[in-house]
Amino acid sequence: MRAVVFKGKHQMEVLDWKTKDLEPHEVRIRVESCGICGTDQHIYHGHPGSAAVNPPIVLGHELAGEVIELGSGVSNLKLGDRVSIDPNIYCGECEYCRSGRPHLCDHLQAIGVTRDGGMAEYCIVPAVNAYRIPNEMSYVEGAMVEPVGCVLHGLKKIDVRPVHTVLIIGGGFIGQLFLQLVKKQGAAKIIVSEPAVEKHERLLELGANEVVEPTSPETVQHLMNIADVVIECVGRKESMELAIKAARKGGQILLFGVPSPDTLINVSPFTIFSKELSIKGSFINPYTHEEAISFIRQNIIRIEPLISHYFALDDIPEVMGKYPQMNVAKGVVTHST
């Protein structure tokens, strides 16, 4: 099959890539759509993903497609099923798996991270990781179930109430998903901090009450102690530090953006103490796939208006190299919709 192979830091190439025979519990899907995630960019630049990456490997953990081959032990799927893939594979035996926290698995594996993923014509996945999607859902929407599931997991870490002011730091794809869900929960006011002014109109359309450009001291000062809930979707030093300063007394902070492993922030423990802040992280998407499919199917979350770029497999090596300069809100590798 043809696949985009990650060969090492800043090295990707479209190759004829050998696929393997199915294990009894696996299925082969023809990939129809695969998202490009910020984590893929992290891996491209030499950082780990949800687990350590050992090239050569095919990236792509946001994917959907059609089942074209069944392992001998598979009974829950049939040929022709349209499926979205949860990429995370848990051991089921470690302390975390056995205590209801499988996403913290000591032996976590992931499609597109530790085993070949969706930036290819075909992909092999465990049958239990494939979830049927309805016929009215596009394959692009099916691929985006994974990031929606991650956002749902993060949202469950915080308590958003109708009296709350919510600040979302970062108005990119993930921030736009959070915006739609927070709006659905009935927050009193939603503010989005986003430096790219070309995104502001879309953010207002999706439900933001106010969008600010955090590039001036006056704007930053305006955000101080303003929010009951702060959702940080960027993963940069300055945005995470802003999250702590923006939270009101008793505030909740969700650090959702993925920073580089060497990123450090300056935090005043007295601020956390005196404001009695609650700060939480959010890692991947344990068993939120069916719920995410339902949110998309019911149009509670709009997906396709958020996709800014569509690519072919052959585009990817060049695209990954210049991705930060392309002003991509969300990019998808697609064969059909």
Side-chain angles (χ1 to χ4, degrees):
M1 67 174 181
R2 295 176 67 254
V4 183
V5 181
F6 173 68
K7 303 175 75 174
K9 183 177 179 180
H10 299 156
Q11 299 178 58
M12 295 189 85
E13 188 176 351
V14 180
L15 299 173
D16 288 324
W17 194 241
K18 186 176 181 180
T19 186
K20 66 182 184 71
D21 294 334
L22 293 182
E23 297 292 334
H25 66 285
E26 294 177 331
V27 297
R28 192 186 314 273
I29 70 166
R30 179 170 57 243
V31 180
E32 298 292 352
S33 186
C34 179
I36 301 174
C37 176
T39 300
D40 295 317
Q41 271 286 294
H42 277 275
I43 295 170
Y44 178 80
H45 290 289
H47 302 302
S50 56
V53 180
N54 295 308
I57 197 165
V58 179
L59 301 184
H61 59 273
E62 302 174 349
L63 65 149
E66 180 184 342
V67 176
I68 61 167
E69 186 180 353
L70 302 171
S72 60
V74 175
S75 59
N76 64 318
L77 294 169
K78 64 181 185 299
L79 296 178
D81 277 347
R82 305 170 74 252
V83 292
S84 172
I85 305 304
D86 179 350
N88 300 303
I89 303 168
Y90 313 121
C91 76
E93 299 178 354
C94 72
E95 169 192 353
Y96 297 102
C97 286
R98 289 165 63 91
S99 62
R101 297 170 291 171
H103 56 300
L104 302 179
C105 175
D106 280 332
H107 310 289
L108 179 68
Q109 299 288 304
I111 297 154
V113 180
T114 64
R115 54 186 284 175
D116 285 344
M119 292 186 185
E121 293 179 309
Y122 306 100
C123 185
I124 294 174
V125 304
V128 296
N129 289 69
Y131 291 75
R132 291 187 187 88
I133 57 175
N135 290 333
E136 64 268 24
M137 183 178 291
S138 72
Y139 282 119
V140 170
E141 292 173 319
M144 295 300 101
V145 170
E146 193 275 344
V148 171
C150 291
V151 166
L152 285 171
H153 176 60
L155 200 61
K156 292 173 183 179
K157 299 280 186 179
I158 52 180
D159 178 22
V160 178
R161 301 185 181 187
V163 295
H164 284 165
T165 293
V166 178
L167 171 64
I168 299 173
I169 300 177
F173 180 70
I174 292 297
Q176 291 172 18
L177 294 180
F178 268 113
L179 171 57
Q180 293 179 73
L181 286 170
V182 169
K183 188 71 174 180
K184 180 66 176 178
Q185 290 192 320
K189 184 177 183 180
I190 306 173
I191 305 168
V192 182
S193 172
E194 170 53 54
V197 294
E198 64 272 14
K199 296 179 183 177
H200 287 196
E201 183 177 352
R202 170 57 52 80
L203 292 165
L204 292 168
E205 290 174 355
L206 291 172
N209 301 103
E210 182 181 352
V211 183
V212 299
E213 185 183 356
T215 54
S216 70
E218 294 77 17
T219 302
V220 173
Q221 186 60 38
H222 168 64
L223 296 176
M224 296 299 96
N225 300 302
I226 200 172
D228 302 287
V229 179
V230 183
I231 303 172
E232 196 281 334
C233 303
V234 182
R236 294 180 181 171
K237 170 182 166 65
E238 58 272 21
S239 56
M240 290 185 284
E241 292 176 350
L242 174 61
I244 294 169
K245 295 174 183 176
R248 299 177 61 193
K249 292 178 181 179
Q252 305 169 68
I253 300 168
L254 178 68
L255 297 180
F256 188 90
V258 182
S260 298
D262 58 354
T263 298
L264 300 175
I265 64 173
N266 295 315
V267 178
S268 164
F270 182 79
T271 298
I272 298 172
F273 161 75
S274 61
K275 288 187 180 181
E276 199 175 69
L277 299 179
S278 174
I279 303 174
K280 294 188 177 182
S282 180
F283 183 64
I284 63 175
N285 58 338
Y287 302 122
T288 54
H289 225 71
E290 287 187 337
E291 189 176 359
I293 290 171
S294 182
F295 270 86
I296 296 171
R297 180 183 61 79
Q298 296 180 64
N299 206 34
I300 294 171
I301 294 180
R302 298 165 58 200
I303 292 295
E304 300 209 16
L306 312 186
I307 308 300
S308 61
H309 290 69
Y310 293 89
F311 303 108
L313 277 180
D314 289 332
D315 300 329
I316 300 308
E318 180 182 1
V319 163
M320 291 293 280
K322 60 182 183 181
Y323 209 71
Q325 291 77 46
M326 293 179 64
N327 195 30
V328 179
K330 184 63 180 182
V332 173
V333 184
T334 184
H335 300 282
S336 71
T337 59

